[in-house]
Each structure stands twice: as C-alpha cells, then as structure tokens.
Amino acid sequence: MQRHLLLFALLWMTTSLSAQMPDLRFFKEVEMRIDTSVFRWTEHQLQWQDESYLSFHYREETPVVEFRFFPIGRSVIENVTLLPSGDFELVDSIRLVNDDHYRFKVRFKSITNLDFLQLPLEVTSIYARQPYLLEFRLFPWTRTQVSFQSPVEELFIGEERVFELQTNNLDNIREQLNWSKKGEIPYRITKKDGRLLLHLLPDAVGMRLLSATFETRKPYLDSLRMPHYALPPLERDFTVKPAKLGFLKVRPGQFVLNDDIRGKGIEVELDYDAGLELEKTYRMEAQERPGGALVAELFTRSILGNGKLLCWLRLYDYHRRNKGYLYIKDGDFARFITNMDIMPEMKIDQISLQREGQSWKPGNQVYPGERVGIRIEGQELNRGSFRFEGLKQVEQDTIASTAEAQVFWARIPLDIIQQQVQIFNHDQPTGRALQIREYDRPRALDFITLQYGDEEVGLNAADRLLFVEENMDDILLSFHPGRIDSGMLHGPQHLKVEVEIRDQRNQLVDQRELPGFVVCPSPKSPRASFYKEQQCQTFDMSLNKFLRKKIYTLDLWSTVRVTIRHDEDHYGRGKGYSHTSEFVLYRSSSFDIDVSFPAGLVIKRLNEPGFGNLGGISMAMIAQFSFYKDKKINTPKPYKFGAGFLAFNAFNFSENNTNRDVGLVALASLYPIKTKYSSRLSFPLFAGGGYFLSEQKWFLLFGPGIRVRL
C-alpha cells in the first residue's frame, strides 16, 4: 500500500512538472532507435511553437524505428496500447520487457511528406477510470544539400535558362512556381520527372549575382538546436549580356484579360529605343517568323521624362512568360522582343474535400477536429494567396497545386466557434467559405446500461439471454452521456426502443415501440454548447411506464425482449447499431401435487422371501419437486422426487384380490420419453419405498406408470 501511494505521488509530481515533461506523465524516459542512432527524451527534447517534441535525425524515407518507453512505476500502469495511425504501420507489437520498459517497432511511411508526426498511446492506470490518451510528438529533421554544377557562366537579357540541380533529398525541396526577385537575377524552382530545375530570367545586363534560397518541408537544426526551413542561399555569378534582338521591358509586366478590356487601350511604359517610331502601331506575336497570331498591339505615344516610352497596349489573346518571348514587329519583321504575362481573370469554380482514406468529392462541409484536404478549383489560382479564417494548422501542398487547383491540408480546431470559415485571397474575401457542421453519426451503444433489480449490465454484455430468478420489478434504461463524445465526436444519438413480452408458451402478451428519443453528449463534450437538440433524455427510462402488461405482474418463464437501435428515419436505412437483450423469469425447481396411475409395479415386501406378483393398476397422489435445466427456458429435468399415498391395486375389484392396500410412499419418477410442455399424458418409471397401512409392512417398489396432467 505504501508503495502504491509513493508511486501515485510520483505520478502526480511528474504530471505537475509540465514545463519539463508535459506529455509523458507515466514515463520517465523514452528512447528512439533509428539506423545506428539513439535519441532520448531527456537529451533531445525540442520546444517548438509552445509544444514539446522528441527531435530525431533521419536519412531513409521509410525507416524501421524501435521505441522504448520506461515507466515511472510498473504498478501504476495496467496496460499500454499503441493506437492505429495512417503515419506508420506496426512491425513488432508492444510488449513489456523484464518489467523495465515497453518496447515496439514501427515502420514510418514517407517521413518527408508526413505532417504533425506523433505516436498515439492509450495508457490504462490503476488510478484513473478512463484510459489516458498520450500523443507523443516527434520532430524529424534532416540535412538537405543542393549544388549547382553547370559550366554556363553567360546569360542573355530576357532569355529564360533552365538548369538541373543536384540534391540528396528531392522530396524535401519545395517548388517555387512564382518568380522570386530577391536577388539580382529573378529565379524560380520547379520539379519535373524526378529532377530539380532552376529557372533564371535576367532582366539587367552586367555581372549579376544569383542568390537562390530553397524552402524545405523538413528542417535542419543549427548548432543551437533551432530548426530552419530554409537552406543557406545558393550563390553564383553570371555575366548577363544584351539579347540578340533588343529586349524592351513592359511595365507593368502582368495583365488580366477579360471581356471588359479586350481590344481597349491600356496605358503602359516601355523601355525607349531609337529604333521605335512615335505614333505608330506595332504587332506583338509569339513567333519570330511571319504569319503569327496577333497577341497584342502596341501604339507608341510619347517619350517620358524618365526616359521611358508611353504607349497604348491593346490585348487580344493570352500569353505566359514561360511559353517564350513576344516579338514586337513592324509589319511581318521582328524588331524587338519583350515578355509579359497576359492571363485570364482568376476565378474559383468549386471547392472539393478529401478525408483520410477517401477520394476527392465536391463540397464544403467540414467537421470540428478533423484533418481534411481542401482543393480550390478554378483558373489562374497560382496567382492567389489564400487564407482560411480561424484555421491555424494549414499547409499548402505545393506538389499538387497548379494554376487550375490549389491544394491545402488543414486541421479544423475542435473548439472552433464560427459556423463558416471564410476563404480570403490577399486579405480580400473570395465569397467562398467552408461550412462547419456538427457530427451526427451513430456511436456503438456502449453508453447505455440496463438496470433490473440490483443488477446493472451494459448492452454489449446484455446482448444475450439473461435469466432473472423468480421475479423482476422493472427494467430501466440508464444513459452515460460522457461516453458519447469520448475518443471521437459523434453528436446527439437518436434512438428507438422496442419491447416484446411472451409467456411461458411463447405466446405474445404485449408489444410496444417506445417513442423516439435523443441522448445528448455530456456538457463536458468540447462541442456540447453547439448541439442544437432539444428535450434530450437525461434520466433513466422505465419500461413499465410504456407497457400495458407490467413487468412485475409477469408469471414465471415469461420473456421480456428489449431491442435498442438507432433511428433509421434519422440516420438512414442500414446505418447505426442495434442490440437485443432477453430477460427470462426462471426458477430452478417447483413443487406440485401429482396424480398418476402406476401399472405392473413390482413390490418387494421386506422380511419376505422372493418378489410378489405384478400389481394391477394403482393410483398415486404424490407431493413432489421438479427441477429445471440451467440456461434453458421452462425445460424440466427428466426426474422428480416426492412423497405421498399409493393405493396399490386400487382398480382390481376381483373377489380374490388380497393385495389391495394403501401405503405411505417416497417416490422418484423418471421420464425417459420426452414430451412437449402441452402434453397431458406421459409415461414415467417409478422407484421408491414405503409402508402398507393394512399389512403394516415396509416395502420397495419399481415399475412403470401413466401420468395424467390436469
């Protein structure tokens, strides 16, 4: 007892020291073995964004990892269970090694692509009624290298060059689809066919420094054990030369083409060149040779004070920078080149959702606490910067995102208060939103127990025959709302109850379907205040209240069948759970008066030699006990015991009948031929002994008989 108190105090102290070990509670140390390295909680703990993690370095994408959990005290823990997760698969089940530590092995899926990595453990303690869910958080980090080995040292103004980079972890590099202008040479980073590509588009001549920064999915740790999600800049000098055709830059360089501005003049600035004539219209085509389709027209107006040329730009078709240059033509002859983006208007057509283990489906309804994929579909979406109001854990899937679809993974907060999650683009509302819906799904009926007499049984244990001896006053349905939203949210439960009563002959006595009712989760549920159900069932439900034939008036061997199921009118046909329990009023034995007619009895009078003659038809009136088979409904055992009177040879009226007598007897009767309960005629065998009153002699008897039940 003292040891248990000491362990409980130690557990309480460990729980209170949340700043040091906020998530372990039951464990003093955790070891993680990966490759040839060992990482320990006490040595490699990392604080990141107000959470504690076990940081570890990985090289392989799908490693097999061994975990060892060292408990504070073995007697505090009853059981430890590793819950299933989509992030790993169990290789070696959890086991207790020498009463010292719990050990198991898992194989992680692609670590680089796993977010919010953790081990969900369920710990059962002798000091807590409910299991404790321990979410042991992991913080993987790796060293990612990127190198540039191309011998090219010259670039041309306005000409896009693509170089292949070398890296030891392609999956960990994030794409940068938009042009970055942080350095002296604009660049962007893409992936194609398992290659990492660097796109360069110089916009100024001379010696220019490339300074490219690479964002990663998983960080590396510096000497102070601080995580960094950006690699050190990749720097290289290039000599940028003028283009073969004179490159003239248009400002601004991006335009949105719609029906309102198609063919209408837009005021732009163009780099000045003496080869351009004022007040003249030039064609802009996507090919250098003659006969190209008209993309835009450029009308030169005047020279500005800053040395630029003021022009009218009329747009007719779409164009992308990465599709090549635009040629400024005088007639069919190319004079200069330029480049710009002429894009359709950004538009959101629909929103699709993906839940774990499911495919994408159009819709916008999400539920509190779930992790869901959000795909915004439309056109020119890569120019957007989307934000979800009220969601903090949102990550963009840059690999799956395109101009036609932007993909995000988000965790909906369990305590989110708004009914809509507005979607913003550059802090401007898009008119689209995610609708917050409360869970309305059936839960296993483990939150209901049945009370009868002094007994209480859960539905899972009551899904069978329950034998109740002699009588039963009532059956109560008792509800435990705290279990409904435990572990997983389910919402209010819509239920129906059917009761059927049959007598000992299995004839229907009463049948009722109770009015549908609702059991709401406990007020401690994180979503309790958002459930809008009214008139929730909060007290025990008595079946006697709804029955014409009250349970306390039932005869022995009556059966009460109680079926509890989810309301199909609410959840849909075939959905939900159903449990049927049967209560049987039984007794192990009974006492009655039996009248039978033994015939051909063999009588052995004591102290007389030999056996007497077979007797004729006699009559016996016996007070006897009958016994019933266990776990069988009204099924008597094939024997009875009793005592009473025997009128020997009572129906032999011959003048020379000298054997007629009345005796006191104790009899055992055996019924070798099974008969139905409703049969009034049976053929027992009798054995016993007694005392003849007239002859004043003791005797033994054995023989068959005929039993008539009135």
Side-chain angles (χ1 to χ4, degrees):
M1 181 64 182
Q2 293 179 351
R3 182 187 177 192
H4 284 191
L5 291 176
L6 179 59
L7 290 175
F8 178 75
L10 182 59
L11 175 62
W12 180 86
M13 292 174 62
T14 306
T15 303
S16 64
L17 297 177
S18 59
Q20 178 182 356
M21 305 174 72
D23 290 325
L24 293 186
R25 291 179 180 263
F26 299 96
F27 303 98
K28 61 186 177 184
E29 181 63 289
V30 179
E31 288 186 359
M32 176 182 180
R33 299 173 182 265
I34 177 172
D35 298 330
T36 58
S37 303
V38 179
F39 299 92
R40 296 180 176 88
W41 177 261
T42 54
E43 299 178 15
H44 301 92
Q45 184 183 160
L46 177 68
Q47 297 291 328
W48 181 248
Q49 295 181 346
D50 298 328
E51 297 287 354
S52 296
Y53 298 84
L54 174 60
S55 64
F56 68 94
H57 176 251
Y58 73 94
R59 299 181 184 88
E60 299 180 14
E61 281 297 304
T62 58
V64 175
V65 182
E66 180 184 86
F67 287 93
R68 296 183 180 183
F69 283 77
F70 294 83
I72 296 174
R74 173 68 189 100
S75 59
V76 177
I77 300 176
E78 289 186 348
N79 188 37
V80 177
T81 303
L82 179 63
L83 302 180
S85 172
D87 295 341
F88 58 81
E89 58 182 8
L90 187 63
V91 175
D92 191 3
S93 60
I94 190 168
R95 65 185 63 184
L96 178 63
V97 180
N98 299 328
D99 272 345
D100 179 66
H101 62 273
Y102 292 90
R103 183 181 67 189
F104 58 91
K105 293 181 182 179
V106 298
R107 175 180 281 108
F108 286 115
K109 299 181 180 178
S110 179
I111 294 185
T112 300
N113 296 312
L114 293 179
D115 298 320
F116 313 112
L117 186 61
Q118 62 183 11
L119 292 175
L121 293 175
E122 187 177 79
V123 183
T124 304
S125 169
I126 62 176
Y127 298 110
R129 298 183 61 184
Q130 298 294 331
Y132 175 74
L133 179 60
L134 171 63
E135 294 183 340
F136 186 70
R137 299 180 178 87
L138 302 174
F139 193 94
W141 62 275
T142 187
R143 295 184 178 90
T144 303
Q145 298 175 346
V146 178
S147 60
F148 186 14
Q149 300 178 359
S150 173
V152 176
E153 296 181 355
E154 293 183 349
L155 300 175
F156 292 93
I157 190 74
E159 179 181 351
E160 181 178 352
R161 293 294 302 270
V162 181
F163 300 94
E164 182 176 356
L165 303 177
Q166 289 71 44
T167 179
N168 64 336
N169 194 342
L170 178 64
D171 291 338
N172 199 33
I173 304 295
R174 293 182 181 273
E175 287 188 295
Q176 300 180 35
L177 301 179
N178 296 325
W179 291 100
S180 174
K181 298 182 180 180
K182 295 181 180 179
E184 295 181 346
I185 300 178
Y187 69 91
R188 64 191 188 99
I189 301 167
T190 63
K191 298 177 184 178
K192 184 177 182 181
D193 300 329
R195 299 181 301 160
L196 182 63
L197 303 179
L198 176 65
H199 300 250
L200 302 181
L201 185 61
D203 56 1
V205 297
M207 184 64 70
R208 312 296 289 178
L209 175 64
L210 169 68
S211 180
T213 302
F214 296 83
E215 301 290 336
T216 60
R217 295 183 62 87
K218 290 294 182 285
Y220 71 91
L221 300 186
D222 60 16
S223 59
L224 299 178
R225 293 184 53 78
M226 292 298 296
H228 297 273
Y229 286 87
L231 300 180
L234 178 65
E235 296 184 342
R236 182 167 177 174
D237 289 321
F238 286 92
T239 300
V240 181
K241 297 182 178 181
K244 298 172 184 178
L245 290 174
F247 182 84
L248 304 179
K249 188 173 183 180
V250 178
R251 297 176 181 83
Q254 290 186 342
F255 302 92
V256 176
L257 176 59
N258 54 38
D259 293 337
D260 294 334
I261 67 171
R262 188 184 301 272
K264 297 181 180 180
I266 303 173
E267 198 170 72
V268 298
E269 289 185 6
L270 183 68
D271 289 342
Y272 175 74
D273 190 279
L276 287 174
E277 300 180 28
L278 293 179
E279 296 187 352
K280 183 174 181 176
T281 300
Y282 292 87
R283 291 174 60 88
M284 300 180 72
E285 300 176 3
Q287 67 181 40
E288 184 176 2
R289 62 182 181 271
L294 179 64
V295 176
E297 288 181 339
L298 192 67
F299 178 75
T300 57
R301 295 172 56 193
S302 59
I303 301 175
L304 299 175
N306 59 4
K308 306 297 181 182
L309 196 61
L310 184 63
C311 305
W312 289 113
L313 178 67
R314 298 183 180 92
L315 306 177
Y316 299 101
D317 203 355
Y318 302 116
H319 178 75
R320 289 286 190 182
R321 292 176 186 264
N322 56 9
K323 298 298 182 181
Y325 298 110
L326 285 175
Y327 295 85
I328 302 176
K329 292 184 176 183
D330 185 359
D332 283 331
F333 299 98
R335 299 288 305 275
F336 302 94
I337 61 173
T338 188
N339 216 342
M340 57 186 174
D341 289 317
I342 306 174
M343 303 166 293
E345 191 173 15
M346 190 180 72
K347 181 177 64 173
I348 298 177
D349 294 329
Q350 72 172 12
I351 296 176
S352 298
L353 302 178
Q354 184 184 40
R355 293 176 170 86
E356 294 182 356
Q358 301 182 18
S359 58
W360 289 100
K361 295 181 181 178
N364 66 337
Q365 295 185 359
V366 295
Y367 297 89
E370 72 169 341
R371 186 171 184 266
V372 62
I374 306 170
R375 185 168 67 190
I376 303 175
E377 303 173 16
Q379 62 182 19
E380 294 301 314
L381 299 179
N382 58 316
R383 294 189 289 112
S385 177
F386 296 101
R387 181 175 61 84
F388 299 84
E389 181 187 19
L391 303 188
K392 297 180 180 179
Q393 299 182 19
V394 180
E395 182 176 356
Q396 184 176 9
D397 189 342
T398 57
I399 297 177
S401 295
T402 64
E404 291 74 29
Q406 295 288 296
V407 180
F408 303 86
W409 284 94
R411 176 76 67 179
I412 309 301
L414 200 62
D415 56 352
I416 188 169
I417 59 175
Q418 65 258 40
Q419 297 299 309
Q420 289 186 338
V421 176
Q422 298 292 336
I423 302 177
F424 289 82
N425 177 28
H426 294 288
D427 296 327
Q428 296 297 320
T430 62
R432 302 280 182 155
L434 302 178
Q435 301 292 331
I436 303 298
R437 291 289 181 266
E438 302 301 331
Y439 279 110
D440 185 18
R441 54 187 176 185
R443 178 189 172 91
L445 301 176
D446 56 354
F447 59 93
I448 303 177
T449 57
L450 298 176
Q451 297 182 9
Y452 55 99
D454 296 331
E455 300 291 332
E456 182 175 3
V457 62
L459 282 192
N460 291 335
D463 200 6
R464 54 185 172 83
L465 278 177
L466 296 171
F467 288 84
V468 183
E469 190 168 6
E470 297 296 342
N471 58 61
M472 180 169 52
D473 294 334
D474 197 357
I475 298 176
L476 299 179
L477 272 62
S478 183
F479 306 101
H480 304 271
R483 300 177 184 175
I484 296 178
D485 275 352
S486 64
M488 182 183 296
L489 297 179
H490 291 83
Q493 301 294 293
H494 296 255
L495 303 173
K496 281 191 175 181
V497 178
E498 295 179 359
V499 183
E500 181 182 288
I501 299 178
R502 293 182 177 271
D503 62 12
Q504 59 182 351
R505 295 179 177 84
N506 201 30
Q507 294 178 349
L508 186 64
V509 174
D510 196 358
Q511 186 176 24
R512 282 286 183 274
E513 179 175 315
L514 278 59
F517 59 95
V518 180
V519 181
C520 294
S522 165
K524 296 182 179 180
S525 167
R527 303 300 297 174
S529 60
F530 298 94
Y531 295 138
K532 299 179 180 179
E533 298 294 337
Q534 302 294 328
Q535 299 179 349
C536 295
Q537 185 73 27
T538 57
F539 52 86
D540 294 344
M541 182 180 292
S542 167
L543 297 188
N544 273 340
K545 179 180 178 181
F546 302 95
L547 296 174
R548 290 191 298 266
K549 181 71 173 179
K550 305 303 180 184
I551 294 177
Y552 54 77
T553 65
L554 298 180
D555 298 327
L556 289 173
W557 301 113
S558 295
T559 301
V560 181
R561 177 178 298 170
V562 182
T563 300
I564 304 175
R565 57 180 173 82
H566 283 98
D567 191 349
E568 291 186 348
D569 295 337
H570 181 81
Y571 295 104
R573 182 175 297 276
K575 297 182 179 180
Y577 296 86
S578 176
H579 279 284
T580 298
S581 303
E582 292 192 55
F583 298 84
V584 180
L585 299 178
Y586 85 100
R587 56 185 175 186
S588 58
S589 63
S590 64
F591 177 80
D592 58 6
I593 304 298
D594 186 67
V595 177
S596 58
F597 300 91
L601 293 176
V602 177
I603 301 295
K604 167 62 177 175
R605 292 175 173 82
L606 300 181
N607 300 323
E608 289 187 4
F611 288 93
N613 296 327
L614 294 176
I617 299 176
S618 305
M619 184 180 72
M621 181 176 294
I622 305 297
Q624 63 182 1
F625 287 93
S626 300
F627 304 91
Y628 296 90
K629 294 182 178 180
D630 293 338
K631 307 304 180 183
K632 298 289 184 179
I633 300 177
N634 199 14
T635 304
K637 296 180 179 179
Y639 55 82
K640 299 182 180 182
F641 298 95
F645 297 93
L646 172 67
F648 184 64
N649 275 341
F651 296 95
N652 187 349
F653 299 104
S654 174
E655 292 180 358
N656 57 357
N657 179 16
T658 60
N659 291 328
R660 183 185 296 134
D661 202 344
V662 175
L664 301 175
V665 293
L667 286 179
S669 55
L670 177 66
Y671 294 80
I673 301 176
K674 185 178 180 180
T675 60
K676 296 181 179 180
Y677 175 83
S678 58
S679 299
R680 298 186 179 276
L681 188 64
S682 56
F683 304 92
L685 294 177
F686 295 99
Y691 182 78
F692 282 135
L693 297 179
S694 297
E695 296 184 17
Q696 297 183 351
K697 292 182 179 180
W698 295 94
F699 64 91
L700 300 175
L701 66 84
F702 176 79
I706 300 173
R707 175 179 177 271
V708 178
R709 186 171 67 88
L710 302 178

